[in-house]
Amino acid sequence: MIGVFDSGHGGLTVLQALEHHLPRQQFVYLGDHGHAPYGNRAPDEIYALTLDAIERLFHLGCPLVVLACNTAAATGLRRLQQTWLPDRYPNRRVLGVLVPMVEAITGMPWMADIRTGQRGGRKRTVAIFATRHTVTSGAYLQEIGKRAPEITVVQQACPILVELIESAAPAAIVARAVRRYAALLMRRLNGVAPDAVILGCTHYPLIADLFAAHLPPGVEILSQPDITARSLAAYLVRHPVFGRATQTRPAASLFYTTGPAGSVSALASRFYGKTADFKALPKAT
Ligand code: DGL
């Protein structure tokens, strides 16, 4: 079984793509709805909540967990992969959404800066919409810069978007917020359209059409679900032990939440496109 974790509903956009690209894998989804949104919390708190969620998925029988949350990945994925995981769970793995996106945007493998030092791609500008915390962490800025310094990265934090999406706010309010964030971005860019835009929060693919409507026409919008799913499929070819494909189509994905299961399930189909019957897990303190 493969675990998928997000602070709330956003990771369901990734789960949908994982199921599509890896139809023979069984997935278990955990949303920490009881603590969402993460984006405006302190880094140490996000880190502690993330470890707790990953541990729960390990205990549910997942040797591999996909951290389908940019905020959690930008805050602590490297730290947990370098210290906590090897100490506590040396035979388990945690993969994020940031690495596949950086590889896709730079066209460079993650280890390229260390191994080859190759440089010299096309000059272009990439804009990133993300939570305040992902923006402040500078993770995308640094990781893209190391591999492709010719790319200018411009970030725009969207502090209230996750909250609006999680609370199923009226469409007009969400649209107004996106319009404001798009306008702020365009001001930073002095009105010049970027070559590509990254939706650097797994909640945002759900409102990709709003971003497209409020950005200059023709801007390429990269969202993470498919990019993450392709990257995971390639990882499992290299490391089959972390995802034993079933011979027949597996059972439907399983869903757990630290929030109220009833209302979480009711909202989930908007993100997932079909019914998701969440079971409640006790919230970590
Ligand atoms: N989906 C999470 C992300 O990708 C949202 C984090 C939050 O809860 O603010 O960043």
Side-chain angles (χ1 to χ4, degrees):
M1 286 201 297
I2 297 175
V4 181
F5 167 66
D6 181 43
S7 60
H9 285 100
L12 291 170
T13 61
V14 176
L15 176 66
Q16 220 179 6
L18 294 178
E19 289 174 346
H20 176 74
H21 287 270
L22 293 159
R24 297 262 182 261
Q25 297 291 341
Q26 167 81 62
F27 295 97
V28 182
Y29 186 87
L30 171 58
D32 193 8
H33 299 87
H35 295 100
Y38 277 11
N40 306 325
R41 288 181 184 272
D44 280 349
E45 195 184 0
I46 298 171
Y47 187 66
L49 290 169
T50 304
L51 294 192
D52 184 74
I54 292 170
E55 207 153 38
R56 286 164 185 248
L57 283 164
F58 285 166
H59 292 157
L60 286 166
C62 304
L64 169 70
V65 171
V66 177
L67 203 51
C69 177
N70 289 269
T71 308
T75 308
L77 183 56
R78 192 183 285 259
R79 179 167 148 207
L80 81 82
Q81 281 173 333
Q82 287 175 352
T83 55
W84 180 76
L85 208 54
D87 286 352
R88 301 282 299 275
Y89 299 99
N91 299 323
R92 318 241 172 155
R93 295 291 178 272
V94 180
L95 303 176
V97 282
L98 193 139
V99 171
M101 184 53 102
V102 169
E103 289 185 329
I105 208 84
T106 61
M108 308 277 265
W110 187 247
M111 301 306 280
D113 60 326
I114 299 153
R115 286 194 192 150
T116 67
Q118 289 166 8
R119 296 283 188 274
R122 188 168 57 85
K123 262 184 154 353
R124 66 212 144 103
T125 301
V126 171
I128 300 178
F129 289 105
T131 65
R132 195 201 308 271
H133 194 81
T134 300
V135 166
T136 313
S137 77
Y140 276 106
L141 216 61
Q142 287 155 19
E143 300 301 346
I144 292 173
K146 272 196 257 173
R147 291 162 182 82
E150 69 281 3
I151 298 179
T152 303
V153 180
V154 180
Q155 305 190 95
Q156 177 60 50
C158 310
I160 60 159
L161 269 193
V162 171
E163 209 168 321
L164 292 180
I165 296 171
E166 285 286 323
S167 63
I173 293 181
V174 183
R176 195 160 60 222
V178 173
R179 188 172 65 227
R180 194 163 68 82
Y181 294 134
L184 286 171
L185 173 80
M186 291 312 294
R187 205 176 303 160
R188 283 175 204 277
L189 291 165
N190 296 321
V192 180
D195 296 289
V197 165
I198 295 176
L199 299 184
C201 169
T202 54
H203 283 72
Y204 301 172
L206 194 74
I207 50 168
D209 55 332
L210 293 179
F211 282 101
H214 295 295
L215 287 167
V219 174
E220 185 189 13
I221 298 185
L222 296 162
S223 74
Q224 292 174 314
D226 280 325
I227 291 171
T228 304
R230 283 199 202 97
S231 170
L232 180 64
Y235 181 87
L236 291 177
V237 170
R238 298 194 304 276
H239 306 279
V241 68
F242 292 110
R244 289 216 177 77
T246 54
Q247 288 309 307
T248 54
R249 214 179 165 79
S253 297
L254 305 171
F255 298 92
Y256 294 96
T257 177
T258 57
S263 54
V264 165
S265 303
L267 194 56
S269 59
R270 291 179 44 165
F271 295 77
Y272 185 49
K274 52 190 172 187
T275 308
D277 193 9
F278 277 82
K279 291 192 173 35
L281 281 182
K283 188 172 149 179
T285 45

